[in-house]
Amino acid sequence: AMPDPFRYTMNDLVTETGIPARTIRYYIQEGLLPPAHGRGPGATYDKGHLVRLRAIALLKERHLPLGQISDRLANLSERELAGLLEVESEPDEDIWRRIALLPD
């Protein structure tokens, strides 16, 4: 299997989600997020962590308690979570297209 090209540090996750590192570590401890890849300062996270954090934030905005959030997210795949967030978890291959508006 090919390694995941999307790797994030804890600081990257904080920047992307606005969730403090301490809270992210708490979510890992409580089982809402899987553990990091590796340990210590070199630990990395993948896009699954990022999507899951965004889903947690969305459900927290709806004032759901962490227990209910955990139950809702327990068996969802990354793709299902992305659907919940209405975002693509993988970029489209054909993003750029040339559209001729005028013949010249």
Side-chain angles (χ1 to χ4, degrees):
M2 294 284 294
D4 187 353
F6 301 101
R7 291 293 181 173
Y8 304 94
T9 64
M10 179 62 78
N11 288 336
D12 294 335
L13 288 180
V14 170
T15 301
E16 290 289 326
T17 63
I19 299 172
R22 184 174 180 174
T23 303
I24 294 171
R25 288 187 194 97
Y26 177 74
Y27 291 161
I28 292 169
Q29 179 183 347
E30 293 298 310
L32 286 150
L33 281 175
H37 304 284
R39 297 186 73 158
T44 60
Y45 303 85
D46 57 33
K47 63 183 173 178
H49 289 93
L50 180 63
V51 170
R52 192 165 288 272
L53 278 170
R54 288 183 175 158
I56 291 168
L58 175 70
L59 294 172
K60 281 188 59 111
E61 285 177 8
R62 296 179 183 170
H63 305 289
L64 289 175
L66 286 181
Q68 286 183 8
I69 292 172
S70 179
D71 292 343
R72 280 192 175 192
L73 302 182
N75 297 318
L76 294 179
S77 70
E78 181 181 320
R79 188 172 300 274
E80 291 167 329
L81 285 171
L84 173 70
L85 297 170
E86 299 178 22
V87 297
E88 292 283 332
S89 61
E90 296 179 11
D92 290 332
E93 301 248 348
D94 185 28
I95 295 174
W96 299 97
R97 286 192 199 129
R98 184 176 301 270
I99 300 173
L101 299 177
L102 298 173
D104 60 339

